Amino acid sequence: IISSVLMFSISQLRTMSMLGRTASIISLLALAVVVVLALVAIKLDHKSFSYVEDEEQETYESENIYTPSASFWQLLMRQFAAISSIGFAVGSQKLFLNIRHEFKDRREAPRSLGIALTSFGAIYIIVCILAGPDPPSLLFDAISSGVQRRLAGLLLWIHVAVSYAINSQALCS
Protein backbone atom coordinates (compact mmCIF):
# COMPACT_ATOMS: atom_id res chain seq x y z
CA ILE A 1 0.00 0.00 0.00
CA ILE A 2 2.84 2.39 0.89
CA SER A 3 4.56 1.74 -2.44
CA SER A 4 1.34 2.37 -4.36
CA VAL A 5 0.72 5.66 -2.55
CA LEU A 6 4.28 6.84 -3.15
CA MET A 7 4.17 5.89 -6.85
CA PHE A 8 0.81 7.63 -7.18
CA SER A 9 2.21 10.80 -5.62
CA ILE A 10 5.19 10.83 -8.01
CA SER A 11 2.79 10.33 -10.92
CA GLN A 12 1.02 13.59 -10.06
CA LEU A 13 3.86 15.59 -11.61
CA ARG A 14 1.99 16.43 -14.80
CA THR A 15 4.64 17.60 -17.24
CA MET A 16 8.00 16.32 -18.36
CA SER A 17 9.60 19.58 -17.23
CA MET A 18 8.31 19.08 -13.69
CA LEU A 19 9.64 15.53 -13.68
CA GLY A 20 12.94 16.67 -15.18
CA ARG A 21 13.66 19.31 -12.60
CA THR A 22 13.49 17.15 -9.53
CA ALA A 23 12.32 13.59 -9.83
CA SER A 24 14.47 12.49 -12.75
CA ILE A 25 17.60 13.98 -11.18
CA ILE A 26 16.86 12.06 -7.98
CA SER A 27 16.24 8.93 -10.06
CA LEU A 28 19.53 9.22 -11.91
CA LEU A 29 21.45 9.92 -8.71
CA ALA A 30 19.84 6.89 -7.05
CA LEU A 31 20.82 4.70 -10.00
CA ALA A 32 24.37 6.10 -9.99
CA VAL A 33 24.77 5.29 -6.29
CA VAL A 34 23.62 1.70 -6.87
CA VAL A 35 26.03 1.25 -9.79
CA VAL A 36 28.91 2.67 -7.73
CA LEU A 37 28.01 0.37 -4.80
CA ALA A 38 28.00 -2.64 -7.13
CA LEU A 39 31.29 -1.71 -8.81
CA VAL A 40 32.98 -1.11 -5.45
CA ALA A 41 31.67 -4.45 -4.20
CA ILE A 42 33.10 -6.19 -7.28
CA LYS A 43 36.51 -4.55 -6.82
CA LEU A 44 36.71 -5.09 -3.03
CA ASP A 45 35.26 -8.59 -2.71
CA HIS A 46 37.36 -10.19 -5.47
CA LYS A 47 34.88 -13.03 -5.73
CA SER A 48 34.26 -14.85 -8.93
CA PHE A 49 30.78 -14.67 -10.36
CA SER A 50 31.35 -17.58 -12.71
CA TYR A 51 28.49 -20.02 -12.68
CA VAL A 52 30.74 -23.00 -13.38
CA GLU A 53 32.20 -25.21 -10.64
CA ASP A 54 35.94 -24.79 -9.93
CA GLU A 55 36.95 -28.18 -11.33
CA GLU A 56 35.00 -27.48 -14.50
CA GLN A 57 36.41 -23.94 -14.84
CA GLU A 58 39.57 -24.98 -16.70
CA THR A 59 37.61 -27.09 -19.16
CA TYR A 60 34.99 -24.39 -19.57
CA GLU A 61 37.53 -21.66 -20.33
CA SER A 62 39.22 -23.79 -22.98
CA GLU A 63 35.94 -24.53 -24.74
CA ASN A 64 34.54 -22.20 -27.32
CA ILE A 65 31.01 -20.99 -26.63
CA TYR A 66 29.98 -22.29 -30.06
CA THR A 67 30.85 -25.92 -29.36
CA PRO A 68 28.50 -28.71 -30.36
CA SER A 69 27.72 -29.28 -26.64
CA ALA A 70 25.72 -26.03 -26.57
CA SER A 71 22.56 -26.45 -28.55
CA PHE A 72 21.50 -24.03 -31.24
CA TRP A 73 18.56 -22.91 -29.10
CA GLN A 74 20.76 -22.22 -26.06
CA LEU A 75 23.05 -20.03 -28.14
CA LEU A 76 20.10 -18.26 -29.72
CA MET A 77 18.51 -17.60 -26.32
CA ARG A 78 21.79 -16.20 -24.94
CA GLN A 79 22.04 -13.81 -27.86
CA PHE A 80 18.40 -12.75 -27.54
CA ALA A 81 18.88 -12.22 -23.79
CA ALA A 82 21.85 -9.92 -24.44
CA ILE A 83 19.94 -7.96 -27.09
CA SER A 84 16.88 -7.75 -24.84
CA SER A 85 18.94 -6.36 -21.97
CA ILE A 86 20.29 -3.57 -24.15
CA GLY A 87 16.82 -2.95 -25.61
CA PHE A 88 15.33 -2.67 -22.12
CA ALA A 89 18.10 -0.30 -21.06
CA VAL A 90 17.42 2.12 -23.93
CA GLY A 91 13.66 1.54 -24.09
CA SER A 92 12.81 4.96 -22.72
CA GLN A 93 14.09 6.65 -25.87
CA LYS A 94 10.50 6.59 -27.10
CA LEU A 95 9.79 9.39 -24.63
CA PHE A 96 12.01 11.80 -26.52
CA LEU A 97 9.13 12.96 -28.71
CA ASN A 98 7.19 14.05 -25.61
CA ILE A 99 10.25 15.74 -24.16
CA ARG A 100 10.92 17.53 -27.45
CA HIS A 101 7.41 18.94 -27.29
CA GLU A 102 8.37 20.86 -24.13
CA PHE A 103 11.66 22.32 -25.47
CA LYS A 104 11.88 26.09 -25.66
CA ASP A 105 13.55 25.72 -29.07
CA ARG A 106 12.58 22.45 -30.73
CA ARG A 107 15.40 22.81 -33.24
CA GLU A 108 17.78 21.88 -30.39
CA ALA A 109 16.24 18.39 -30.24
CA PRO A 110 18.73 16.60 -32.56
CA ARG A 111 21.69 18.07 -30.68
CA SER A 112 20.15 17.12 -27.34
CA LEU A 113 19.45 13.58 -28.53
CA GLY A 114 23.01 13.22 -29.80
CA ILE A 115 24.45 14.33 -26.47
CA ALA A 116 22.12 12.03 -24.54
CA LEU A 117 22.87 8.95 -26.64
CA THR A 118 26.61 9.61 -26.61
CA SER A 119 26.58 10.05 -22.84
CA PHE A 120 24.47 6.94 -22.34
CA GLY A 121 26.74 4.84 -24.54
CA ALA A 122 29.90 6.13 -22.87
CA ILE A 123 28.58 5.44 -19.38
CA TYR A 124 27.44 1.97 -20.45
CA ILE A 125 30.91 1.15 -21.82
CA ILE A 126 32.65 2.56 -18.72
CA VAL A 127 30.51 0.43 -16.40
CA CYS A 128 31.21 -2.66 -18.52
CA ILE A 129 34.96 -2.02 -18.36
CA LEU A 130 34.94 -1.31 -14.62
CA ALA A 131 32.87 -4.43 -13.89
CA GLY A 132 35.77 -6.54 -15.14
CA PRO A 133 35.93 -9.76 -17.09
CA ASP A 134 33.66 -11.81 -14.81
CA PRO A 135 30.79 -9.65 -13.52
CA PRO A 136 27.58 -11.11 -12.10
CA SER A 137 24.74 -11.49 -14.58
CA LEU A 138 22.89 -8.79 -12.62
CA LEU A 139 25.17 -6.06 -11.32
CA PHE A 140 22.97 -5.78 -8.22
CA ASP A 141 24.04 -9.33 -7.22
CA ALA A 142 27.56 -8.03 -6.49
CA ILE A 143 26.25 -6.12 -3.46
CA SER A 144 26.38 -8.39 -0.42
CA SER A 145 23.36 -8.73 1.84
CA GLY A 146 22.98 -6.30 4.68
CA VAL A 147 22.47 -2.57 4.99
CA GLN A 148 24.14 -1.74 1.66
CA ARG A 149 21.89 -4.14 -0.25
CA ARG A 150 18.78 -2.76 1.45
CA LEU A 151 19.86 0.79 0.63
CA ALA A 152 20.56 -0.23 -2.96
CA GLY A 153 17.13 -1.86 -3.17
CA LEU A 154 15.45 1.30 -1.90
CA LEU A 155 17.38 3.44 -4.38
CA LEU A 156 16.45 1.11 -7.23
CA TRP A 157 12.81 1.32 -6.16
CA ILE A 158 13.04 5.14 -6.30
CA HIS A 159 14.50 4.89 -9.80
CA VAL A 160 11.75 2.51 -10.95
CA ALA A 161 9.02 4.66 -9.39
CA VAL A 162 10.25 7.77 -11.20
CA SER A 163 10.66 5.83 -14.45
CA TYR A 164 7.09 4.58 -14.09
CA ALA A 165 5.86 8.13 -13.51
CA ILE A 166 7.72 9.38 -16.59
CA ASN A 167 6.29 6.57 -18.74
CA SER A 168 2.80 7.14 -17.33
CA GLN A 169 2.99 10.86 -17.98
CA ALA A 170 3.94 10.24 -21.59
CA LEU A 171 1.04 7.83 -22.04
CA CYS A 172 -1.54 10.09 -20.39
CA SER A 173 -0.63 13.46 -21.88
Side-chain angles (χ1 to χ4, degrees), residues 4 7 21 31 47 53 89 100 109 113 126 152 157 159:
S4 297
M7 288 184 91
R21 289 188 190 129
L31 186 60
K47 57 183 167 180
E53 296 297 323
R100 185 187 68 178
L113 182 62
I126 289 168
W157 180 84
H159 173 69

Side-chain angles (χ1 to χ4, degrees), residues 23-59:
S24 65
I25 293 170
I26 292 169
S27 171
L28 288 174
L29 288 175
L31 186 60
V33 168
V34 172
V35 169
V36 168
L37 283 173
L39 291 174
V40 167
I42 288 172
K43 295 299 179 193
L44 293 180
D45 288 345
H46 301 295
K47 57 183 167 180
S48 175
F49 294 100
S50 179
Y51 299 99
V52 180
E53 296 297 323
D54 288 339
E55 59 270 1
E56 296 175 12
Q57 184 69 27
E58 193 173 300
T59 307

Side-chain angles (χ1 to χ4, degrees), residues 52-108:
V52 180
E53 296 297 323
D54 288 339
E55 59 270 1
E56 296 175 12
Q57 184 69 27
E58 193 173 300
T59 307
Y60 176 77
E61 288 174 351
S62 65
E63 288 181 7
N64 185 347
I65 191 168
Y66 298 104
T67 59
S69 64
S71 76
F72 168 77
W73 294 110
Q74 288 173 326
L75 295 174
L76 188 64
M77 288 299 117
R78 286 181 194 157
Q79 292 169 353
F80 280 147
I83 292 170
S84 298
S85 295
I86 293 170
F88 179 75
V90 298
S92 294
Q93 298 301 322
K94 67 185 179 295
L95 300 174
F96 184 71
L97 295 175
N98 287 49
I99 294 168
R100 185 187 68 178
H101 180 70
E102 295 188 19
F103 275 23
K104 287 180 184 174
D105 183 6
R106 291 186 188 164
R107 292 176 294 186
E108 290 291 317

